[in-house]
Amino acid sequence: MSWDVLLLHLPDDVASVQDIPDGFSPHPLGSQRDVLAAVARAAPEADLSDPAWGELCGATWSIELNIGADSPVDTVMLHIRGSGDDVLTSVTRLGRALGCKALDCSTGKVLADQEPTGWHAFQNYRDRVTGVLPD
């Protein structure tokens, strides 16, 4: 189970999926090569040996980066697992490196820089449905 965050170009006035105009199609993030280079600059510790599926790990969390094999890359999906608010720093850094917004797929809202509400809600839900109690 993962907390999914979509990195994509959105108009400045979009704060949630409800604000996205009908028929909207985001501008690509760039070629796969350019996206991989931006990710490598933002997170040099990322494993990008599989260019379609990168991985970034912290002490208590991991992020799978679904970049895809197509070029140009329209979006990058982050599949985030674990715990610890420091993962939000990496999400913010990746979004900035790609010049895009981060959309919390569970709430439908654009993430503000390092705003933990959606991440905390996901962890609470995950722990409740799996029966795992936090430390």
Side-chain angles (χ1 to χ4, degrees):
M1 180 179 292
S2 64
W3 181 48
D4 296 333
V5 174
L6 186 64
L7 301 179
L8 74 163
H9 287 141
L10 289 172
D12 290 337
D13 60 345
V14 169
S16 74
V17 293
Q18 295 173 346
D19 300 331
I20 298 173
D22 290 340
F24 174 78
S25 182
H27 294 288
L29 298 175
S31 69
Q32 187 191 49
R33 188 185 76 191
D34 289 344
V35 167
L36 290 169
V39 168
R41 282 191 304 275
E45 67 279 19
D47 177 357
L48 300 171
S49 56
D50 178 349
W53 278 96
E55 186 173 31
L56 179 58
C57 294
T60 59
W61 51 264
S62 67
I63 303 174
E64 286 181 310
L65 295 93
N66 183 348
I67 297 166
D70 295 336
S71 194
V73 175
D74 292 322
T75 63
V76 173
M77 181 66 80
L78 306 179
H79 303 285
I80 304 168
R81 295 175 178 84
S83 62
D85 289 352
D86 58 320
V87 72
L88 298 168
T89 301
S90 293
V91 172
T92 299
R93 205 173 13 169
L94 290 168
R96 284 187 181 150
L98 295 169
C100 65
K101 294 186 178 188
L103 183 68
D104 180 341
C105 294
S106 62
T107 65
K109 295 181 180 178
V110 172
L111 293 177
D113 285 353
Q114 302 192 36
E115 167 55 45
T117 304
W119 175 230
H120 290 174
F122 163 75
Q123 291 174 84
N124 288 333
Y125 171 77
R126 176 203 61 206
D127 295 346
R128 194 172 60 251
V129 299
T130 61
V132 175
L133 298 175
D135 295 337

